[in-house]
Amino acid sequence: MPTKPSTIHVLHPGLFTTVQDLGRCGYQRFGVSVSGAMDAWALTVGNRLLGNPDGAAGLEITLQGPELLFEQALPIAITGADLSPTSNGLAIPMWTVVGMQAGSRLQFGMRRQGARAYLTVGGGITGPMILGSLSTHVRSGLGGLSGRAVKKWDQFSVGPVIRTAARSIGRSLPEPSRPRYVTSPVVRVMPGPQTAYFTDEAIRQLTVSPYRVTTESDRMGYRLEGAELPHRASADIVSEAVCAGSLQVPSNRQPILLMADCQPTGGYAKLATMISADRSLAAQLAPGDSLSFRMVSAQKASELLRSNRAELDRLLPPRGS
């Protein structure tokens, strides 16, 4: 007889919990955002610890976590932000595969570090794929659970747990390799496509002044507050492609850092682009936190990304390698 799919029940949804994988790439030309995990590195680590494919779907948990009931025994990993996870009142180690027993509850508490935690499960969360992805994009109502955040009494189905996941209990990312999320990181950027639209003073201010993440920030982008970044003339350009990491500067001279749910095109001049290797740091910021920028070359950005990927492959080889 076929095995009944494992089920996770939502007893409390948390502040903003969504299903995310690595996003739906290749559809921006049709006006569809990539979406996916804000901290793709943390989600990938969780999946590799469990032996899942890198792109398996998990839960992105923002600031205040949910309470979940596991109907069947399942191996899980919690990566990203430390939101004090517990199982039946006992603390769960981060960045480590843990066995959840049938009938056990997973809860979260105080935010210790970071803003977004990722729950990955052996077999991955399953559901209807929309344009090749389960990722939730709330603004367009795509993916996840009918394109919305998790609600009380929702249920998640989990795919078949492969043998390696069932045997991986206790596997963890080495302590020295675990990120230290801070509330005021330095994020590296490379020159944007419209750097010439800005004064020399704007480029200088960007790299010497901290910027605060305002309350008008979400998965689409962070509105930042700090030193003004003056344009040479207008802030407006003919709309063109943008991507996560683009640093737009509208006419109020305050930057907007685009994130995972960003729109495919934009009409504001872009002073800089956050490098992919530092997206994880920015993804773990909450309103009230701040960040500073440091300029690097495109070549350096490429070297850092290759180095990060090579180190992850060394520590946790991808499934099938």
Side-chain angles (χ1 to χ4, degrees):
M1 294 177 61
T3 304
K4 178 184 176 183
S6 297
T7 304
I8 302 173
H9 301 266
V10 179
L11 304 181
H12 186 279
L15 180 64
F16 186 72
T17 304
T18 57
V19 177
Q20 299 294 342
D21 54 27
L22 296 182
R24 46 183 61 84
C25 299
Y27 297 95
Q28 296 97 307
R29 64 187 184 276
F30 302 117
V32 179
S33 297
V34 174
S35 195
M38 287 275 278
D39 188 344
W41 188 85
L43 178 72
T44 300
V45 169
N47 278 323
R48 289 197 181 185
L49 286 170
L50 289 158
N52 291 340
D54 287 359
L59 293 184
E60 181 176 275
I61 297 162
T62 307
L63 293 174
Q64 185 180 53
E67 180 177 357
L68 306 173
L69 173 66
F70 288 73
E71 190 172 299
Q72 292 86 13
L74 275 174
I76 70 165
I78 300 173
T79 58
D82 185 350
L83 304 180
S84 305
T86 61
S87 174
N88 300 329
L90 300 177
I92 291 179
M94 296 287 299
W95 307 95
T96 301
V97 178
V98 175
M100 296 294 290
Q101 300 304 310
S104 58
R105 297 188 181 200
L106 175 64
Q107 297 172 308
F108 294 82
M110 178 182 67
R111 175 197 180 196
R112 291 195 182 116
Q113 185 187 138
R116 293 174 174 86
Y118 293 86
L119 169 64
T120 47
V121 299
I125 290 173
T126 62
M129 303 280 278
I130 306 296
L131 299 178
S133 171
L134 270 72
S135 284
T136 307
H137 186 257
V138 172
R139 277 185 170 82
S140 62
L142 285 179
L145 299 172
S146 302
R148 58 167 173 78
V150 170
K151 296 194 303 189
K152 187 175 183 179
W153 307 132
D154 279 338
Q155 297 181 12
F156 300 105
S157 293
V158 177
V161 179
I162 61 173
R163 291 182 180 179
T164 53
R167 294 197 302 263
S168 64
I169 303 299
R171 188 183 190 194
S172 65
L173 183 70
E175 186 73 33
S177 299
R178 300 178 189 183
R180 298 292 181 267
Y181 303 123
V182 296
T183 56
S184 54
V186 175
V187 172
R188 290 164 290 192
V189 295
M190 55 187 183
Q194 284 87 39
T195 302
Y197 283 54
F198 295 87
T199 66
D200 294 340
E201 177 63 12
I203 297 170
R204 189 188 76 82
Q205 285 289 359
L206 178 68
T207 56
V208 299
S209 305
Y211 286 85
R212 186 179 68 87
V213 180
T214 72
T215 55
E216 295 181 86
S217 300
D218 56 19
R219 282 179 46 88
M220 186 174 182
Y222 297 164
R223 287 189 178 272
L224 305 177
E225 185 177 71
E228 291 189 347
L229 302 172
H231 308 82
R232 294 187 184 277
S234 173
D236 298 325
I237 60 171
V238 176
S239 287
E240 64 177 21
V242 298
C243 62
S246 292
L247 193 74
Q248 295 182 318
V249 185
S251 57
N252 67 357
R253 299 181 174 182
Q254 296 294 295
I256 301 171
L257 180 62
L258 299 185
M259 299 300 288
D261 279 354
C262 72
Q263 72 280 15
T265 61
Y268 295 135
K270 298 175 286 297
L271 175 57
T273 304
M274 176 173 61
I275 71 171
S276 296
D278 284 356
R279 277 185 61 180
S280 181
L281 295 176
Q284 294 295 343
L285 295 174
D289 293 342
S290 63
L291 72 166
S292 300
F293 297 101
R294 181 160 67 87
M295 194 72 74
V296 297
S297 67
Q299 179 180 348
K300 181 64 174 178
S302 180
E303 291 172 357
L304 289 166
L305 181 59
R306 287 199 301 269
S307 175
N308 283 7
R309 287 179 173 172
E311 179 65 6
L312 179 57
D313 288 347
R314 183 185 69 82
L315 294 169
L316 298 170
R319 179 177 170 181
S321 63

